[in-house]
Amino acid sequence: MRIYLTGSDTLLGAALRRALGESHEVHAPSPEPRDRAAIAEAAAGCDAIVHLVPPAADQDDLDALDRATRGTYDLLTAASPSRFVLVTSLRPFARYPASWLVTEQWMPRPAPTATDLAPYLAELTAREVTRVRPVEAIVLRLGGGVDPATASGPADASWLHIEDAVAAVERALTFAPGEATRPTRWHVFHIVDGGANSRFPLDDAARPPFSFAPRHRLTDAATLPADEGSFPPRPAPIPSRPIRRVAIFGAGGPLAAVTAEALERDHILRLTDVRPLVEAAAAPPQSPGAPLPRPLPPPHEERLVDVTDPAQVLVAAEGMDALVNCTVVRPHPVNAFRVNLLGAYNVMRAAVTHGIRRVVHTGPIQTLIPHPAGFAPEFDISPDLPPRPGDDLYFMSKFLGQEVCRIFAEAYDLEVPTLLFCAFRNPDVPLLDEPLHPFTISWADAGEAMRQAVRAPGFPRPFEVLHINADLPHGKYPNDKAKRLLAWQPRDRFESHWRRGSE
């Protein structure tokens, strides 16, 4: 078997390279590249990829998140393996009380830190890609792999012997899932040593057909940590306050332009973008009739801010009562992840740092991919359905940013309405021969929805996903939740495009 191995400069990676090299042809670039062309060339002809998600603790936060997500995405979409072994961590389960027997059937609950988010988001990336690509994906969530010869101090309840970690990867490379016949497959196993005081029990991984049998029990001598307080743990909540001052990120785009127009009369705005607004206004509109930004007079202000720079975002959020994130990059293979994911992470960290409870997030509807992976053929598609970005770069990067917002919102009890859009139209500009998409909204109605998301008195849950679309009769995408929570009513119905004889 030809195997492409990442992370060969780590303890586990080096052990895998030695062990797998005895019976397989192993290609192990070091350091692991994030270059699609280099990956495609290096992995050409490989039967399997073994991807070790690097520990976030050894990296800058943003680089850790980028390597975990874009690195995983590029390996799956540039190399197109038939088998993908993703080696992550049990860190996203660490917040569960130690007295709970948490297995593969339990939901990951990562803390809003890069250490927890990196392995979690890597798994989400792989899971969504493998919905639409014929690849056998096996996720191994490892306990803390150690070499007993170099370990010091008392045994830890999360320890896993490095030889057992290697054995689990070898098992994953030959794993036959049995009755599964679908072309896209997804399997997750917790790889622990099964000792009496192991932090997590050995469960699904030990059962057929995976049948993992660790040979070492380092945790027999470990001491389990005591349960601490209530679950899930929460810091002191950020109090609500009247919303007067609002920072808009990505103010050079058309959605931000109509948002600023809707807010400027009643709020003091800080308009931020990576380029001056006059420069953005001089560019061609995004689509026929799309709005263009305009500088606003004092007391409003404008600042140059790169949302991928955490220091710039932190300064831009200072003194604000609410943040609005309209930043977006669609086709660029690097900047889509940097802006849509890392930018969202920077905005949420700035909100927590400055005690800002209201953050309005934006993105595309995430249920458009076709059957069988997505919900495109369905009707009455709720905004609360699980996202299905598939392998689309724009959808994937926005989906991951949205998940970061959810985790921050729930951890700090924030108010983060996430407004989803698809097709924007100016009702005064004819569509010609282009059909009307059933998830269409006018620019003016979109701006009013954004205004109401800033001004709404509160929300039932810290993170709410809302469909922002016109009242169209297709029966596909209900907007009643947005109407109810935002006290919002779209006005433009585009009747000339679906009713005979309409003017």
Side-chain angles (χ1 to χ4, degrees), residues 331-498:
H332 196 283
V334 175
N335 289 337
F337 280 91
R338 288 179 54 77
V339 170
N340 302 338
L341 166 59
L342 304 186
Y345 179 76
N346 290 337
V347 169
M348 297 309 299
R349 286 210 305 183
V352 171
T353 299
H354 293 302
I356 300 169
R357 196 162 186 229
R358 180 68 53 89
V359 181
V360 179
H361 191 65
T362 60
I365 183 174
Q366 293 280 349
T367 51
L368 293 176
I369 64 172
H371 178 81
F375 302 107
E378 308 296 336
F379 293 88
D380 197 24
I381 299 170
S382 166
D384 293 321
L385 283 173
R388 291 289 184 267
D391 60 358
D392 183 88
L393 171 66
Y394 171 46
F395 288 168
M396 174 65 75
S397 53
K398 272 294 190 179
F399 157 65
L400 295 172
Q402 183 174 309
E403 188 66 6
V404 165
C405 291
R406 180 190 69 81
I407 290 167
F408 269 89
E410 293 177 355
Y412 292 98
D413 194 26
L414 305 179
E415 297 171 335
V416 185
T418 295
L419 279 58
L420 302 188
F421 302 90
C422 183
F424 295 94
R425 295 292 178 193
N426 183 332
D428 298 328
V429 176
L431 281 174
L432 301 178
D433 295 330
E434 187 179 348
L436 184 74
H437 193 281
F439 203 108
T440 296
I441 191 71
S442 72
W443 290 108
D445 284 339
E448 184 60 23
M450 295 289 287
R451 176 179 184 270
Q452 290 301 102
V454 170
R455 296 169 59 89
F459 297 92
R461 296 175 296 185
F463 181 80
E464 294 285 1
V465 178
L466 307 172
H467 283 173
I468 306 301
N469 55 307
D471 286 332
L472 299 176
H474 300 70
K476 285 189 74 72
Y477 303 105
N479 60 8
D480 53 305
K481 181 180 176 184
K483 290 178 179 177
R484 183 177 70 254
L485 298 187
L486 302 182
W488 166 77
Q489 179 65 48
R491 297 182 179 183
D492 295 311
R493 303 189 68 210
F494 303 93
E495 289 186 316
S496 62
H497 302 288
W498 51 267

Side-chain angles (χ1 to χ4, degrees), residues 57-76:
D58 300 335
Q59 309 167 73
D60 167 80
D61 282 1
L62 298 186
D63 194 53
L65 295 175
D66 188 56
R67 285 170 65 94
T69 55
R70 181 162 63 90
T72 301
Y73 178 84
D74 284 349
L75 285 166
L76 278 163

Side-chain angles (χ1 to χ4, degrees), residues 319-333:
M320 298 292 103
D321 304 311
L323 307 179
V324 176
N325 188 1
C326 294
T327 59
V328 59
V329 168
R330 292 180 178 84
H332 196 283

